[in-house]
Amino acid sequence: MAVPIRVVDSHTGGEPTRVVIGGMPPLEGSDMVAAKAWLATEYDSLRRSVVGEPRCSDVVVGAYLWPPEEGSEIWRVVFFNNAGYLCMCGHGTVGIVETLRYLNRIDVGRVEFATPAGAVAAWLLPDGQVSFDNVPCWRSQAAVEVNVPSYGPVTGDIAYGGNWFFLIGDSPVPVIRANLTELQAFTVAVRQSLDSQGVTGDDGAQIDHIEVFGSSEVADSRNYVLCPGLEYDRSPCGTGTSAKVACLAADGKLAPGQVWRQESIVGSVFEARYRIADGHVVPTITGRAHIVGDGIVVVDEDDPFKWGIP
Ligand code: PYC
């Protein structure tokens, strides 16, 4: 017997999102943090099947989407990828809003989400773009030096943008598309060095995203973002752009309301601005997603790789 899993695929600035809208279990857990833990414990095979090979690819971020409970208007979402689960995903939020528009579940205006990182409000804009107010973000530490084998000392900021980031302004590898292989090697080495040298986010949180910046001809900066599963973000990364904005705000280089344009390594751009609430930076990110597929993921009981390639 085959278990059908209904998905809608989109990309946001080149970065794919697979939204799962049917075929997953009813949501359990007292909040979205508990729901994420429950999925990891009870349903990790489903994650591997939906985004892993042979049905999908390491590049894709998945999103389980549950409709609002009766009496509520808040959609519930848990993001996941080839390596595990994400507390928040910016390009994925834009992809979900575009998916809901495609399914005729929303119109132009506001839509609310509960994520493991907290509440996120988004807006489908009349021109098809999507803006969202991210969770509160902050820079935790500035100018942290790590010793990276083959590269020497590397300095970066540690910031929270819905996920934990190490942000490197001065990259030994220029941030251009021709350098994708070298950028991956460098950022993987940085990530391993952070782990081995015990450099973490607040409360020992693992830093699982590495973000490197270079100059851009079309925006304020271009980035390369290494994601937890060692793939790079094709979009400018919503949580990574949020972490960047938190650093700029901490340095006094970006005022509330001022626009920051972040280009990705493939040339797509997010616009960001922020306000201050309760002492934290609350970024608003704007981007655009496009639907690329609508279908059923089939898990055939006889398939030896029904839960992905281990
Ligand atoms: O857009 O926040 C983001 C994101 C995280 C990982 C991939 N994309």
Side-chain angles (χ1 to χ4, degrees):
M1 197 191 85
V3 181
I5 300 162
R6 174 84 202 283
V7 298
V8 176
D9 291 334
S10 61
H11 79 84
T12 307
E15 179 75 353
T17 308
R18 170 164 279 186
V19 183
V20 184
I21 55 166
M24 70 277 200
L27 182 61
E28 278 186 28
S30 50
D31 57 24
M32 296 314 290
V33 174
K36 174 163 103 47
W38 161 74
L39 286 163
T41 311
E42 303 291 335
Y43 288 99
D44 203 49
S45 52
L46 185 61
R47 172 187 68 79
R48 283 184 269 110
S49 202
V50 168
V51 292
E53 291 182 26
R55 286 170 194 74
C56 199
S57 118
D58 280 353
V59 183
V60 176
V61 171
Y64 295 120
L65 184 65
W66 287 272
E69 289 177 295
E70 221 180 302
S72 165
E73 298 202 336
I74 302 172
W75 293 80
R76 297 154 300 161
V77 57
V78 175
F79 295 103
F80 54 100
N81 62 14
N82 56 335
Y85 299 83
L86 293 165
C87 287
M88 172 52 194
C89 179
H91 92 269
T93 301
V94 175
I96 292 175
V97 173
E98 175 59 14
T99 296
L100 290 172
R101 184 208 60 76
Y102 167 78
L103 295 170
N104 288 320
R105 298 298 300 268
I106 60 164
D107 212 334
V108 166
R110 183 179 164 109
V111 49
E112 289 179 54
F113 299 102
T115 78
V120 171
W123 289 264
L124 174 61
L125 305 178
D127 64 359
Q129 294 199 95
V130 174
S131 283
F132 69 91
D133 279 0
N134 200 355
V135 297
C137 302
W138 64 93
R139 179 168 71 185
S140 165
Q141 292 183 63
V144 176
E145 190 176 286
V146 274
N147 195 20
V148 184
S150 308
Y151 296 94
V154 171
T155 303
D157 288 359
I158 297 172
Y160 182 76
N163 296 299
W164 280 100
F165 286 81
F166 191 71
L167 301 97
I168 302 163
D170 193 12
S171 170
V173 184
V175 183
I176 55 171
R177 205 160 157 194
N179 289 346
L180 277 174
T181 307
E182 292 91 331
L183 284 164
Q184 190 199 36
F186 169 58
T187 50
V188 168
V190 171
R191 166 118 199 241
Q192 286 165 348
S193 303
L194 293 171
D195 283 346
S196 65
Q197 289 161 44
V199 180
T200 67
D202 295 356
D203 302 323
Q206 190 182 39
I207 301 170
D208 56 6
H209 291 73
I210 312 296
E211 185 167 7
V212 184
F213 297 92
S215 62
S216 163
E217 279 148 30
V218 299
D220 294 302
S221 147
R222 181 189 296 137
N223 68 8
Y224 170 96
V225 178
L226 181 79
C227 297
L230 308 187
E231 270 298 336
Y232 72 91
D233 196 332
R234 275 68 173 160
S235 85
C237 191
T239 52
T241 300
S242 299
K244 174 68 177 177
V245 161
C247 293
L248 290 164
D251 284 334
K253 290 183 175 164
L254 191 74
Q258 198 181 336
V259 172
W260 178 262
R261 284 170 53 81
Q262 185 65 60
E263 185 190 9
S264 77
I265 192 74
V266 307
S268 50
V269 175
F270 283 169
E271 258 188 31
R273 47 171 71 81
Y274 73 94
R275 63 188 160 86
I276 297 288
D278 297 329
H280 284 319
V281 166
V282 179
T284 303
I285 307 290
T286 303
R288 176 93 204 241
H290 298 273
I291 301 298
V292 297
D294 178 350
I296 299 285
V297 172
V298 175
V299 180
D300 179 344
E301 273 181 9
D302 292 335
D303 181 352
F305 294 124
K306 60 177 179 250
W307 303 127
I309 300 174

